[in-house]
Structures are given as C-alpha cells and as structure tokens.
Amino acid sequence: MRWIATLSLSLLLALPARAANVQARLIRASNESGKSDTSLSDLQVKLKEKFGYKFYQQLGAQQQPLKTGTKLQLDLGQNFQVFVTPKSSDKHEQSLELEWYYGKTLLVRSVVKIVENGHLLVKGPEVGNDWIVLAVSVRN
C-alpha cells in the first residue's frame, strides 16, 4: 500500500508545473470612425465600460512566461515598453511590479495584483483625440 502512495507522489512531482504567462497589449481608444479590432474581443466590453470609447485597435502585444525574481521586458512597438517583475503569487492571484515606458519616459510604476485570467487596464497618454491604453493579463 505504501508503494502506491510513493508511486503516486513521484508521478505528481514528475508532472511539469504550469508556468503563468503575462501578456501586455497596447491599445488605441478612439471615437472616430473605424472598425473595432477583433483581436480585442475578449476585452471589448470591459474597455467600453471603463473608458467609454466606441472603437479600440490593438497596436502591439507581447507575452512571456513569468519567472520569479526576473524582470521581464515586453516590447509593444510604437516606442512603448513594459517591464514586469513578479513579486508573489498564490493559486488565483499574481502580484507584479509594473513599469510602463514611452521611450525613456516613465508613464506608470506600480505594484499591482491581477487575478488569474483577469485584466488590468491602464489609461495612458492622449494622442490627438484618442487615448493609448495598456492591458495586462496573467494566464496559466
């Protein structure tokens, strides 16, 4: 009976741990005529609810696996970069230090908590009549 328990435990330890991934997306919010980007269908309702714009277009995106104690650099294009450093995690929530830059200009620096499969939406700089939005999510 003991060997069954030992075998079960060794099989569980041999299974690869699923690493969480962080994804950052750069989004342009606009009320000017245009099409909404289908790649943002999972965020469309939340974006409209939070910011009130009619149209949203994804300008760039990058995803990387989270590594404890490692500062990740996500290049979103258009001279925007996000740096993410995992601070702590539990089963359903990830604490991250987040830094958002435009070139060498720091736009946002904060420690945030994001629930698993949840999104953090941050309103960034104004561009004409439009706004730049950062969407950060953590997925397992």
Side-chain angles (χ1 to χ4, degrees):
M1 192 59 118
R2 244 184 210 187
W3 68 273
I4 293 176
T6 305
L7 179 63
S8 298
L9 182 59
S10 64
L11 286 175
L12 284 175
L13 293 176
L15 291 176
R18 290 185 348 179
N21 289 310
V22 63
Q23 180 186 42
R25 295 190 264 183
L26 189 66
I27 301 166
R28 173 173 253 168
S30 177
N31 281 324
E32 313 229 341
S33 64
K35 290 183 182 177
S36 286
D37 197 332
T38 57
S39 64
L40 297 171
S41 60
D42 61 323
L43 288 176
Q44 214 48 260
V45 172
K46 290 180 184 182
L47 287 165
K48 284 185 180 183
E49 185 178 285
K50 184 163 184 160
F51 302 114
Y53 287 88
K54 294 178 184 176
F55 306 103
Y56 297 91
Q57 177 187 14
Q58 182 169 297
L59 302 175
Q62 191 173 15
Q63 179 174 313
Q64 287 189 21
L66 286 172
K67 299 173 189 167
T68 305
T70 302
K71 187 174 193 173
L72 303 174
Q73 179 179 349
L74 303 167
D75 185 5
L76 303 178
Q78 313 282 325
N79 211 17
F80 285 94
Q81 294 182 12
V82 175
F83 294 90
V84 176
T85 307
K87 292 296 183 185
S88 65
S89 67
D90 65 23
K91 279 187 171 182
H92 302 290
E93 187 175 77
Q94 193 72 237
S95 178
L96 308 170
E97 180 178 346
L98 180 74
E99 298 174 47
W100 184 20
Y101 286 88
Y102 175 71
K104 293 185 179 185
T105 304
L106 177 64
L107 301 173
V108 173
R109 176 182 286 148
S110 184
V111 175
V112 297
K113 290 186 178 185
I114 302 176
V115 296
E116 180 181 316
N117 298 322
H119 304 281
L120 171 70
L121 302 174
V122 182
K123 192 172 187 179
E126 185 176 14
V127 179
N129 294 326
D130 301 341
W131 284 91
I132 300 297
V133 174
L134 174 67
V136 180
S137 60
V138 175
R139 300 190 189 285
N140 282 336

